[in-house]
Amino acid sequence: MNIEINAFNDPWMDNGILNFYKILNELESCEAKLTENSIIVRIKDREKFVKELTRALLDKRQNLIVNEEDRKTKMQKEVKKDHVIIQEEKKIDGKVVLKEEIYKPEKTAEIISKVFDLSEGKNMCILCGRKYNKSIKKLQQANYPFVTKIASLSGVRSYKDDGRLSLKEYYDNLCPICYFIGILEWTDETLIYRTFPGEKSYLFMPYFDNLKELYEFKKLCIYTGILNNAERYSNIKVNPNTQDVENTPGEYSTLLCFYEKFVESATDEIIVSNWAVLHIPFGAVKNVKIDFLNINESILGVIKNLKESERLERIYSDLMRKMYFFSQNKNNTDWDITREIQENLSKYFLLDDFRSFTNSLLPKKGGYVFFSSEVKQNLEELIFEWRWRKMGVKKEKLDAIKNDGKIVAKISENNASLIYKLDKVRTIDDFWSVLREISRKLPGLDEKKLREIKPTALDEVIQLTKEIVEKNKDEWKEIRDLIVVYASMYYSLDKLKKKSEGGEKK
Ligand SMILES: [Zn+2]
């Protein structure tokens, strides 16, 4: 008996096919073949197949659950992972009972046997177009979490009504095979999750339009040992040798953190740039949102180059995660704002948005971003690799911009308004005018500060900007953003220095 399952061009179902394929590879009762756009399964012994698959599914079921100590009784108990949208019944002896019959050990074999009955009928499946006899379940979030936002998905093979996708929740026509693949996908150990208790979970699904490539990537996620699926709130390990997991502050920092670990452990060229991210809220009614992220090849190149050249091996751990926000009102680190900044820096880097990235580093009312001199070095490596290299200007010239940033920082010491002003510049004429203003303010600096800066840097930057603008008339904006980023950096370092000298007044 042969079954062919074609790619769905849908992140949930295609990851699902490969999750299923991985199981099939371990069974003796069948042979499975993977092509770029399908899997072909030949079942040699149906009875044995049902038996083997039942056992494999019950093993995989463990990925839906974590073990925790009960706060009151101190006994170990099972908890369903927060992002898994499968309804739960009352626990029995501290064990999770899932409403979905296929995940009830006493029913699993019976349901699997029905799925692989494969008798043809007059119904046509909404997801794969297969003709089949009887559904196991309707289409619903538990077997297809995109169900509520289906219209945003292109490429799902479905019936169209007046040219519009007309899929609704509780659509009847779901074939047993698609049901099985969909409901099984929750057990996939290669998806990345991050849960914020009481708020929401993120579930990251990698996506390629070629099943073989997607499979290679998923295999690497397992073999590199970078994920630990026994933890409840995150499955990204701090490093492959321990079981500890990361505590990233949001969606993008989680993704960046994953890339850091992946690049560190996987030597292969294959790396995913497309992701579907499910946002799954806490509470009984799950209004699932989906983000589709495409990370530029050039950004992935920056991460890889920094790692390979050993200039910045761990972009999240040694840079974004080590940026803090000091609140002058609290005279201490503000952790909420800190986590927000760490998340934003990760986000704008991944989205290749340097302007917003620099914005996140600006001093704010009542405080500023701070970091160590080691992290400053890492930030400079990132800026060089990410921004400067592609402008095709010599590295030495970057020093002039840095020095300019330092000048702005010194002038701004007691009042950061000049940094904001520079940041808000919209036209090149305004840019020249702010540079002139900086120049006018230079003589006002005391001697100690004057010794720390290089006033000629201003002229150098003006010259450099003129040259750059000749080649590309908008590129002055890059210079503006670079000065802002360096000014913010030196501003913070000066503040920090003062603070450690104990001299700062509020
Ligand atoms: Zn189907």
Side-chain angles (χ1 to χ4, degrees), residues 125 127-130 175 178:
C125 175
L127 288 183
C128 71
R130 193 189 308 272
C175 81
C178 288

Side-chain angles (χ1 to χ4, degrees), residues 413-425:
E413 195 179 280
N414 296 314
N415 180 354
S417 63
L418 192 60
I419 305 183
Y420 302 132
K421 202 169 186 177
L422 188 61
D423 177 64
K424 290 207 169 65
V425 161

Side-chain angles (χ1 to χ4, degrees), residues 8 13 125-130 132 173-179:
F8 292 82
M13 295 303 286
C125 175
I126 188 85
L127 288 183
C128 71
R130 193 189 308 272
Y132 71 97
N173 291 340
L174 181 70
C175 81
I177 296 278
C178 288
Y179 162 74

